[in-house]
Amino acid sequence: WPAAEQVPFEVFLTSPWQPVGREGVSQDFRDPVDVWNRKNRSYLALRKLAPCLNLKYEDLVQDPESVVENIANTFGLRRRASHFENIDVSLQGAPGQTFASYQDFYLKEAWRDQYTRALIGLVNERLERAVMERFGYDMLEAGHLASS
């Protein structure tokens, strides 16, 4: 979606996703849930082919220094700087978005405000449960929404 184009969340969530060249696929994904399923399934398969570390974005947002340390330890890397410095401003988000904004959105689950019961049902229906379980995610229950 073009950055300037604002579409309702339901439209975004149910529309085909056109891949970009770096994704290495020639056909559209069914929707963003299909993108999530296929990409995360491929990340899990990669573990069988090469040394890798599967990370969850929520872990990075919760404790970026520990995640960077884990990456360094897993692959035998050393830090360039003696101390960790997190970047607080968003380079891609809306003006004024900070690291705390992302923490609120993901860790305090402010994203729930975008979902209706119908969308939760649709997403749960399309998510691959085995992939969700491998990453330690639970299916979202419609009863736990901030609003409906």
Side-chain angles (χ1 to χ4, degrees):
W1 298 96
E5 185 179 343
Q6 294 293 322
V7 297
F9 187 60
E10 183 172 1
V11 171
F12 164 76
L13 200 56
T14 58
S15 295
W17 184 274
Q18 295 180 333
V20 294
R22 71 175 182 263
E23 292 174 311
V25 295
S26 58
Q27 64 187 34
D28 287 359
F29 294 98
R30 180 170 87 177
D31 53 42
V33 178
D34 185 33
V35 174
W36 190 93
N37 285 331
R38 288 208 260 172
K39 285 189 174 195
N40 283 289
R41 190 178 341 111
S42 71
Y43 302 149
L44 293 169
L46 179 62
R47 297 182 80 167
K48 298 174 185 171
L49 304 173
C52 72
L53 179 64
N54 293 119
L55 305 170
K56 295 191 319 188
Y57 184 69
E58 297 88 347
D59 295 338
L60 179 65
V61 172
Q62 182 172 355
D63 189 355
E65 184 172 11
S66 291
V67 170
V68 169
E69 190 71 30
N70 188 13
I71 293 167
N73 291 337
T74 299
F75 297 106
L77 305 172
R78 61 182 175 83
R79 290 180 139 169
R80 291 184 183 179
S82 60
H83 70 284
F84 177 82
E85 184 176 340
N86 194 33
I87 298 173
D88 189 53
V89 293
S90 172
L91 302 176
Q92 295 180 327
Q97 253 185 336
T98 65
F99 186 69
S101 305
Y102 286 99
Q103 288 180 312
D104 284 342
F105 191 75
Y106 291 100
L107 302 179
K108 295 180 182 175
E109 299 183 340
W111 52 265
R112 289 177 183 253
D113 293 340
Q114 298 179 15
Y115 282 84
T116 62
R117 291 182 192 285
L119 283 178
I120 290 297
L122 177 83
V123 170
N124 282 346
E125 179 181 293
R126 293 182 179 181
L127 280 169
E128 292 183 19
R129 290 183 187 272
V131 175
M132 293 280 290
E133 288 172 7
R134 292 282 305 275
F135 280 99
Y137 290 120
D138 295 321
M139 302 303 271
L140 186 61
E141 295 181 29
H144 293 138
L145 294 175
S147 62
S148 292

